Amino acid sequence: MEQHKCIIIGSGPAGYTAAIYAARANLKPILYTGLLPGGQLTQTTEVENYPGYPKGIMGPEMMEDFRQQAERMGTDIRFGYVTDVDFSNPAKHHILTIDGSVQIAAEAVIIATGASAKWLGLPSEQRLNGSGVSACAVCDGFFYRGKEVIIVGGGDTACEEALYLAHLCPKVHMLVRSDKLRASQVMQARVKAAANIHIYWHTETVEVLGDNGVTGARVRNRLSGEEYDIPVYGFFVAIGHQPNTEVFKKYLAADHEGYLLTQADSTKTDIEGVFVCGDAQDKIYRQAVTAAGTGCMAALDAERYLSLKAFNANQ
Ligand code: NDP
């Protein structure tokens, strides 16, 4: 079995940033990309809020920059998906199974597996994804300024994104499938007070309309069964995220939604030598720049852990 100092799982901003720092600290990191090299940002269009790109940059291009930088620092980047972990012997090493077959060991593991947006599951939603359909208002809302948009969902994310969009768009149509918002009281109050957010209760999407771009949505009132069209240019889905953490949960504590828990002010988990960064542990901010920040923290935490371990071993 291959033995390494540090393995990073995931290739979004958190994983690549952890790799840059770990490589520069001479930890000779191995990074497994997962099934979607580059992560969620490879599925967005233009990124305008990542510092350092004054003219904006396409999401896939930015992630290619991250990848090249991590590689130039000496990261061994491998295409592969972690299907199992064994964190039962932290004093010795942690073992990862890649693609159900190969096993590899490391003293430190940095989990940066991110999260995936939940979708409604409509074929039209999938077809128009990236052409008017988005799961991130902060990423894509700017492209719809001055235009009407729909947002689906009634949780804190939907409310936060509806308010964000309401600053850019003349009207935000908010589709809520029940008769209540699930968001915190303060968010609910703000949404209800916004003059240009219209809430449609008991309403679900039948189909997103448009050929090459979104032109509207056909919706249904779940009580009356009535169907009608709402013309819009942007269709935002904010019905929650799913952290990609399933494989780790037999060893690591997670909250009820699956986000991995870390110790206060650090990326440490309750298992020595296992660190978590990015959206796998953050359900509040979920930005590329915050993920990159925690990726840096994870590499620094891993480096300190390995230094102390080596020091103690030499005593
Ligand atoms: P939530 O799970 O809280 O809410 C999801 C919303 O989407 C609900 O209104 C739900 O409706 C609706 N929904 C789910 N599936 C569908 C579907 N198929 N069709 C239509 N609507 C659907 O997710 P959030 O992302 O909003 O929040 C996740 C967690 O993160 C929460 O704990 C939240 O408090 C937290 N958060 C905190 C923030 C902050 O503090 N600033 C910001 C953002 C999130 P229903 O109620 O009927 O199930």
Side-chain angles (χ1 to χ4, degrees):
M1 184 160 49
E2 277 184 56
Q3 305 266 350
H4 295 276
K5 278 190 195 165
C6 176
I7 295 182
I8 297 160
I9 313 170
S11 56
Y16 280 140
T17 304
I20 291 164
Y21 275 78
R24 295 188 82 247
N26 206 25
L27 302 187
K28 301 185 170 43
I30 313 289
L31 180 147
Y32 282 99
T33 61
L35 297 180
L36 181 64
Q40 291 181 81
L41 276 165
T42 59
Q43 297 184 323
T44 62
T45 49
E46 200 171 353
V47 179
E48 292 187 325
N49 54 6
Y50 198 91
Y53 293 104
K55 295 184 179 133
I57 184 161
M58 299 305 279
E61 205 179 325
M62 183 168 102
M63 293 323 298
E64 176 57 18
D65 285 350
F66 270 71
R67 189 194 66 75
Q68 285 182 20
Q69 192 172 355
E71 198 166 57
R72 189 168 72 85
M73 296 303 149
T75 310
D76 179 349
I77 298 171
R78 303 179 182 181
F79 183 78
Y81 188 75
V82 174
T83 48
D84 200 11
V85 296
D86 180 351
F87 294 158
S88 63
N89 194 356
K92 192 177 173 205
H93 57 209
H94 301 297
I95 301 173
L96 310 181
T97 306
I98 312 298
D99 298 324
S101 53
V102 182
Q103 289 202 316
I104 184 164
E107 290 175 75
V109 172
I110 296 176
I111 298 169
T113 46
S116 307
K118 289 186 192 161
W119 297 98
L120 298 173
L122 301 169
S124 54
E125 170 196 54
Q126 204 179 349
R127 183 171 50 80
L128 291 163
N129 193 348
S131 304
V133 171
S134 166
C136 179
V138 179
C139 317
D140 298 327
F142 186 71
F143 304 117
Y144 303 97
R145 64 195 187 282
K147 296 175 177 166
E148 296 194 15
V149 294
I150 282 176
I151 183 149
V152 182
D156 276 314
T157 303
C159 287
E160 206 166 79
E161 301 214 334
L163 289 163
Y164 183 86
L165 291 166
H167 288 299
L168 302 168
C169 306
K171 189 158 187 182
V172 178
H173 306 264
M174 186 169 190
L175 311 186
V176 178
R177 67 179 176 181
S178 69
D179 63 348
K180 58 180 180 302
L181 296 174
R182 201 195 284 193
S184 55
Q185 292 301 323
V186 60
M187 291 301 279
Q188 291 193 31
R190 287 178 61 200
V191 164
K192 287 175 183 168
N196 59 341
I197 300 178
H198 180 78
I199 302 178
Y200 300 69
W201 302 107
H202 296 291
T203 302
E204 64 190 6
T205 311
V206 178
E207 190 186 350
V208 187
L209 304 172
D211 293 325
N212 300 317
V214 169
T215 57
R218 180 154 306 149
V219 303
R220 180 193 294 131
N221 182 297
R222 301 175 85 196
L223 297 182
S224 66
E226 183 200 357
E227 289 189 10
Y228 53 96
D229 294 351
I230 305 175
V232 288
Y233 288 90
F235 185 90
F236 290 87
V237 181
I239 60 171
H241 282 76
Q242 182 71 46
N244 305 317
T245 55
E246 206 52 44
V247 73
F248 309 109
K249 285 202 275 189
K250 67 180 161 182
Y251 290 101
L252 300 178
D255 71 7
H256 67 284
E257 291 164 286
Y259 290 90
L260 298 176
L261 302 179
T262 52
Q263 294 172 15
D265 300 325
S266 105
T267 62
K268 290 178 196 166
T269 66
D270 288 342
I271 293 190
E272 273 188 31
V274 179
F275 307 88
V276 191
C277 53
D279 288 10
Q281 53 84 48
D282 169 25
K283 65 182 178 194
I284 308 286
Y285 302 104
R286 287 197 291 246
Q287 299 301 300
V289 68
T290 51
T294 56
C296 160
M297 289 164 62
L300 295 177
D301 287 342
E303 196 275 325
R304 283 170 198 157
Y305 165 75
L306 291 169
S307 298
L308 189 62
K309 196 176 169 200
F311 177 79
N312 289 339
N314 289 331
Q315 291 306 296

